[in-house]
Amino acid sequence: LTCFESKAFRDVTLAATLTDIAGWSMIAFQAAFYERTFALSPQQYDPLLAFVIPMAGVTGGLGGGWICDKLQLRSPQGQRWFISAMTVLAGPLLAASLLAEDYKTSLMFLFPGMVAAEIFRSPTAVMTRDAKPDSPSVAAAAHLAVRNLVAGCGPLSVAFLAKEFDLQHAMLLAPVCYVLAGFAYFNAIGVLTEERAERTRAKMTS
C-alpha cells in the first residue's frame, strides 16, 4: 500500500493507534474496575457509565472537531498544540479517576478525562486523508485496519498486568498510552504540515 510510504501517514496512524490501545483498555475493563475497586453492583455502575462515557465521547468528538476547524483557519500550529495537549491531559485525568478513593471522585475525573481523550478523533480522520490526498479512501481503510488490529493489545496487556498486580493499577497502562499519544500527535502534525508544504511547492514549480 503506497499510503505507508508517507511518513505523515505512518506517524498519524501511530498516534491514533496509541489512543486506541488506551481507549480499548479503558472500555474493556471499565465495568470490572468499578465492581472490583469500589464494590459496586452492575445496577449501580451501569447507569452511571452509560451516561458518562457516551456523553464524554460526543462532547469530545464534536467539540474537538469544531475547535480544530476554527484553529485550522486561524493558526494550524494552534490545532497542533490543542490536539497534543488535550491528549496528554487525558493521561493524568484518567489516572486520577483510576486511583480515586471513592467512585464519585472517580467519575468526576472520568468525564473530563474521556472528553480530552476523544478530541483527536475527528481531526485524525482529516489528517489521514490529507496525508494521501491521491487515495484518501484507501488511506482511511489502511489507517483503520492498523488501529483495529493493534488496539486489541491494550486489553490483553491489562489482563496480563492484572495477574501480576491488580486491575486498578494494570489499567494505568491507558493513561500512559494517552500521554505517549499526545507527544506522537505533536510530531505527526508537524510532519504532516511539512508534507503539505512540499506538495504545494511541487505544484507551484510544475
Side-chain angles (χ1 to χ4, degrees):
L1 294 173
T2 59
C3 52
F4 289 100
E5 296 173 0
S6 165
K7 188 176 188 306
F9 176 84
R10 296 195 304 270
D11 289 351
V12 169
T13 301
L14 170 63
T17 300
L18 284 169
T19 63
D20 281 350
I21 290 173
W24 285 31
S25 298
M26 291 292 294
I27 292 172
F29 292 98
Q30 198 79 66
F33 164 75
Y34 282 100
E35 190 168 336
R36 296 184 195 178
T37 305
F38 301 114
L40 297 181
S41 67
Q43 291 77 16
Q44 291 174 297
Y45 63 71
D46 278 347
L48 297 172
L49 295 180
F51 173 78
V52 170
I53 293 176
M55 286 300 297
V58 170
T59 303
L62 291 177
W66 182 79
I67 293 172
C68 284
D69 282 345
K70 297 296 182 182
L71 289 173
Q72 185 65 26
L73 294 174
R74 298 181 181 180
S75 170
Q77 286 300 310
Q79 184 190 68
R80 182 187 188 188
W81 280 99
F82 175 67
I83 295 171
S84 304
M86 292 302 291
T87 306
V88 169
L89 180 62
L93 287 172
L94 291 174
S97 173
L98 292 170
L99 298 174
E101 295 184 357
D102 58 82
Y103 79 92
K104 292 181 180 179
T105 304
S106 177
L107 290 170
M108 183 180 70
F109 282 107
L110 179 64
F111 184 81
M114 293 295 288
V115 170
E118 289 295 308
I119 293 293
F120 82 98
R121 199 168 296 280
S122 299
T124 297
V126 178
M127 290 180 217
T128 305
R129 294 195 299 270
D130 286 352
K132 289 297 291 181
D134 54 332
S135 55
S137 295
V138 173
H143 171 81
L144 291 173
V146 171
R147 288 171 60 179
N148 289 332
L149 285 170
V150 179
C153 294
L156 290 174
S157 298
V158 171
F160 172 78
L161 291 171
K163 293 179 181 178
E164 301 296 320
F165 306 100
D166 57 60
L167 182 60
Q168 182 181 30
H169 291 90
M171 287 181 68
L172 290 173
L173 172 69
V176 171
C177 285
Y178 277 122
V179 172
L180 293 175
F183 288 106
Y185 264 112
F186 189 82
N187 171 70
I189 297 172
V191 173
L192 179 60
T193 301
E194 292 175 3
E195 288 193 6
R196 284 174 182 158
E198 289 176 5
R199 287 197 296 266
T200 301
R201 286 193 295 268
K203 288 180 180 179
M204 293 177 65
T205 56
S206 61

